[in-house]
Amino acid sequence: MGLSRIIAAMKSLVRPETIADAWGDDAVDEPYSKNQMAWALRRERARTDRTGEGFSLLVLSSCSRRGCHDALLHTARILRRRLRVTDEIGWLDHWRLGALLPATSQEGAAKLGEEICATAGRCGYRLQCETYYYPSHPWWGDQPRRKTKQVGAERTAPAQPMEPLFALRLPLWKRCLDVAGAAVGLTLLLPLFAVVAVAVKVSSPGPTFFRQRRSGCGGRPFVMYKFRSMVADAEARKHDVMALNEQDGPAFKIQADPRVTPIGRILRGTSIDELPQLWNVLKGDMSLVGPRPLPCDETAGCDVWHRRRLDVRPGLTCIWQVEGRSQVSFEEWMRMDMRYIRSRSLKCDLKLLLGTIPSIVFGVRSTTASDG
C-alpha cells in the first residue's frame, strides 16, 4: 500500500498532463526564444560555410492575428512529433515560428511545410508557410518578386534566400552619426559638387553621375552614385580590359585603367568621385563606415563565407581602405570586413573616419574597374 502511494506521488510531480498539453508525449522542450533561435541560425550558417552542406528554415505564421500565439503553439506540437532530433524549433518574433532543418533541401522543407499546414488546417488553424534556404544560388538580388502559391486553406511560397534574415540591426548611434555626417558633408561640399559637375560634363561626353547597382545590407540591391570618372561606354568596354585585372577573386580592379578620363584620374586619385555617396548614406542605403559595396555580379562570384559582409550596411570607408587597399589579397580584404563587423562601435567608426583622410592623401587608390 505504501509503495503504491509513493509511485502515485512521483507521477504527480512529473505532471504528464502539462507536458502533453504543451508538446505531446515525445518531448518536453519549449521553443527557442528569439535570441536563442538567432544564435542557432548563425551556428548552422557557420557550419554550412565550412562543410558546404546547405540547410532550410521553415517559417510558419497564422493567417489571423486573433489567437495567433495559440495557433503557433499548437503547430509547435505538430512539428515536434514530425521533426528529427537534429531539427530545432524557435520563435523568430511574436507572430512567426521557425523550424531549423539541417541538411534539408528546399523541396524537402516545402513538402514538410505543406503537410504541417494541412494538418493545422484540419484542426481549424489557417497558416502561411514560407521556406528559406542557405546558401542561395544563383545570386538572388536581381530576381523578380516571388509569387505565393495557394494550396487549399494554406498558403506556401517558393524557397527564398536566407541572407536577409542575418542582417544586423543598425545601432541608433550609428544612424545618428550617418545622418549628421552626411547632412553636414553635403551642405559644405555643394560648391565643390557644382565645380566637379561642370568639369566632368565639359571634359567628356556623357552623364555627370555614374549609377550602378550594388549589393547592400542583406544582399538587397541599391543604386550607388558617383561622379563619372570614365568614358560613357566604360561598362560596355569592360570585357576588352578583363585581361588587365590586377585583383584576385571576383573583384575587378586596374590601377591604370585606359577607360578613365583625364579629369577622372584627378577625381579618383583624391576620392572626390566617391562623395556623391553621401546621398546614399543620407537615404539609408549606406553608412559612413562599413564594408565597401560590390557590384551585384561580383557579389555573385563571392564564396559563401564572403557574403557575411552583407550582414551590415555597406559604407564609404572601412578597415580595408585604411590598412589594406591594393596591397592585400581579396581574401584578406574580406577578413578585414569580418573583423570590422565583429568589432564595430562608435570608437571604431570614429577611428576609421579619421584614418581615412591620410589614407586617401598618401595611400594608393584602389577601386573596382566597374566604377564609372
Side-chain angles (χ1 to χ4, degrees), residues 19-33 36-37 40 43 58 60 71-91 97-102 112 115-117 119-120 127:
I19 295 175
D21 182 63
W23 283 108
D25 296 328
D26 298 328
V28 296
D29 297 330
E30 294 184 358
Y32 282 169
S33 68
Q36 289 173 325
M37 192 62 176
R43 180 203 61 204
L58 187 64
L60 297 160
L72 293 178
L73 280 176
H74 180 81
T75 303
R77 300 188 196 111
I78 300 173
L79 277 169
R80 184 59 69 183
R81 298 189 188 101
R82 290 292 313 273
L83 299 185
R84 305 164 297 181
V85 176
T86 55
D87 301 333
E88 295 168 291
I89 304 173
W91 298 102
L97 187 71
L100 176 59
L101 310 173
L112 174 63
E115 293 175 356
I116 296 299
C117 287
T119 303
L127 300 178

Side-chain angles (χ1 to χ4, degrees), residues 276-295:
Q277 290 161 41
L278 289 170
W279 176 244
N280 287 116
V281 174
L282 197 61
K283 287 174 57 183
D285 297 328
M286 296 176 61
S287 181
L288 291 177
V289 182
R292 285 295 296 165
L294 290 174

Side-chain angles (χ1 to χ4, degrees), residues 192-211 226-232 261-264 267:
L192 176 62
F193 279 20
V195 173
V196 173
V198 172
V200 171
K201 198 68 177 178
V202 171
S203 62
S204 64
T208 301
F209 294 99
F210 174 75
R211 301 171 178 84
K226 293 166 56 73
F227 281 118
R228 182 174 60 84
S229 60
M230 292 185 177
V231 293
T261 63
I263 191 66
L267 298 179

Side-chain angles (χ1 to χ4, degrees), residues 144-162:
R145 182 181 296 273
R146 301 171 184 268
K147 295 182 179 180
T148 300
K149 181 175 61 175
Q150 193 80 22
V151 183
E154 59 277 351
R155 292 183 293 172
T156 62
Q160 303 178 54
M162 203 178 299

Side-chain angles (χ1 to χ4, degrees), residues 7 11 15 22 28 36 43 74 97 100 115 128-129 135 164 186 207 216 219 246 264 276 278 280 297 323 350 355 364:
I7 294 175
K11 287 182 176 181
R15 293 190 300 175
V28 296
Q36 289 173 325
R43 180 203 61 204
H74 180 81
L97 187 71
L100 176 59
E115 293 175 356
Q128 178 173 302
C129 173
L186 288 170
E246 300 170 0
L278 289 170
N280 287 116
D297 60 331
E323 298 181 8
L350 292 176
V364 178

Side-chain angles (χ1 to χ4, degrees), residues 161-175:
M162 203 178 299
E163 283 82 354
L165 299 182
F166 296 116
L168 300 176
R169 183 182 63 84
L170 187 71
L172 179 60
W173 63 263
K174 191 169 178 64
R175 183 54 183 161

Side-chain angles (χ1 to χ4, degrees), residues 19 31 42 76 131-132 155-156 190 229-230 247 290 299 324 353 368:
I19 295 175
R42 293 187 181 279
T131 55
Y132 294 80
R155 292 183 293 172
T156 62
L190 274 178
S229 60
M230 292 185 177
Q247 177 73 62
T299 300
L353 286 172
T368 59

